[in-house]
Amino acid sequence: MSQQAYLKGLLEPIILKLLQEHGSLYGYEITQMVKTLTAGDIQITEGALYPLLHKLESSGLVETDLRTMQNRQRKYYSLTQDGKKATAQALDGLQRFVQHLQLILKPQTA
Amino acid sequence: MSQQAYLKGLLEPIILKLLQEHGSLYGYEITQMVKTLTAGDIQITEGALYPLLHKLESSGLVETDLRTMQNRQRKYYSLTQDGKKATAQALDGLQRFVQHLQLILKPQTA
DNA sequence: AATTATACCTAAGAAAATTATGCATCTCCC
DNA sequence: GGGAGATGCATAATTTTCTTAGGTATAATT
């Protein structure tokens, strides 16, 4: 079982968290950021990332603005007001989930 | 986003861990154990559990024996030798993954 | 006697990823 | 000047994995 398998379902809160933390990011930047943070262990594929970003945009949680830097077009994503609320909730839920997970993964007495 | 969504991909290592910890368990017992451990927050549905147990059995990671207790038939699952090795590896990987996840979820300087 | 809990199972569908592409620009190196 | 690799976006077919919704049967509770 690869590390990747565990990522299922967690991509969305991870992206929201990164946007919360950094203000605005573009897609490719997100993939590189996660890769760097996890020493290459976790890799967000573009085939998963872009459709998810589009979904978040169409549901109003993020908004985009296009910027051109040295002839490179980048689409920057940032949280909307709705997105900020949703992110806070999602991260609360995820933290609870991780605590439960740790509980299961620790040696048990029960 | 429900807590359940985060479970994707994690069911298998969780089951392996519980079997490692408890020796042998039957299906229904696993669902109740997780429910209790997480105060009802995480719920393993039978539609996900049984097919997964069957997959683990057919791939040789677990083996079963049927026992009848007060007219109740239970199918107990336990790790094979292969299963024990696979479990150790899976849990190593999962621990690494969770650490990476925590890294992403904590406030960042970079 | 009916409901809930225990205990197993499968099938259709949905969700969310992987894998495999495609396009375009820029930088580095030979 | 030409190729390789990085940057940057995107979509489509397929696969994996789960949810939802059923089905069967026995035991305990009300």
Side-chain angles (χ1 to χ4, degrees):
Chain A
M1 169 118 49
S2 83
Q3 291 280 89
Q4 289 304 96
Y6 302 137
L7 199 58
K8 270 177 197 283
L10 297 172
L11 250 184
E12 182 170 325
I14 286 175
I15 290 172
L16 292 176
K17 166 65 181 177
L18 290 175
L19 288 176
Q20 182 194 64
E21 197 73 30
H22 296 273
S24 75
L25 298 169
Y26 58 98
Y28 188 77
E29 192 178 13
I30 292 175
T31 66
Q32 299 308 305
M33 194 172 278
V34 170
K35 199 167 155 187
T36 301
L37 276 173
T38 65
D41 240 13
I42 298 179
Q43 216 134 322
I44 294 183
T45 62
E46 301 188 328
L49 178 64
Y50 288 114
L52 183 48
L53 287 173
H54 299 162
K55 193 199 78 175
L56 291 174
E57 186 179 15
S58 71
S59 64
L61 300 185
V62 304
E63 58 194 357
T64 61
D65 71 301
L66 280 138
R67 300 180 211 159
T68 306
M69 330 271 285
Q70 59 259 21
N71 276 2
R72 286 293 175 88
Q73 246 206 344
R74 295 170 174 172
K75 192 190 267 190
Y76 279 85
Y77 289 84
S78 54
L79 296 174
T80 61
Q81 282 307 317
D82 277 1
K84 287 178 187 175
K85 290 178 203 161
T87 299
Q89 289 183 346
L91 292 179
D92 278 356
L94 184 48
Q95 284 291 5
R96 266 208 324 285
F97 177 80
V98 171
Q99 280 169 20
H100 288 321
L101 186 58
Q102 298 279 27
L103 213 67
I104 294 171
L105 295 182
K106 294 295 169 201
Q108 288 158 40
T109 47
Chain B
M1 167 117 50
S2 84
Q3 291 282 88
Q4 289 305 97
Y6 301 138
L7 201 58
K8 259 185 201 286
L10 297 172
L11 250 184
E12 182 170 326
I14 285 175
I15 290 171
L16 293 175
K17 166 66 181 177
L18 291 175
L19 289 176
Q20 183 196 62
E21 197 73 28
H22 296 273
S24 75
L25 298 170
Y26 59 98
Y28 187 76
E29 192 177 14
I30 292 174
T31 66
Q32 299 308 305
M33 193 172 278
V34 170
K35 199 165 154 186
T36 302
L37 276 173
T38 66
D41 239 14
I42 297 179
Q43 215 136 322
I44 295 184
T45 62
E46 300 188 331
L49 178 64
Y50 289 114
L52 183 48
L53 287 173
H54 300 161
K55 194 200 78 178
L56 291 173
E57 185 179 14
S58 73
S59 65
L61 299 185
V62 304
E63 58 194 357
T64 62
D65 72 301
L66 279 138
R67 299 178 212 160
T68 307
M69 330 271 285
Q70 59 261 21
N71 276 1
R72 287 294 174 90
Q73 245 204 347
R74 294 170 175 172
K75 193 191 267 189
Y76 279 83
Y77 290 83
S78 54
L79 295 174
T80 61
Q81 282 307 319
D82 275 2
K84 288 178 188 177
K85 288 179 204 162
T87 299
Q89 289 183 345
L91 293 180
D92 278 357
L94 183 48
Q95 285 291 6
R96 266 208 323 283
F97 177 79
V98 171
Q99 280 171 20
H100 288 322
L101 185 58
Q102 298 279 26
L103 211 68
I104 293 171
L105 294 183
K106 293 296 170 203
Q108 289 159 39
T109 47

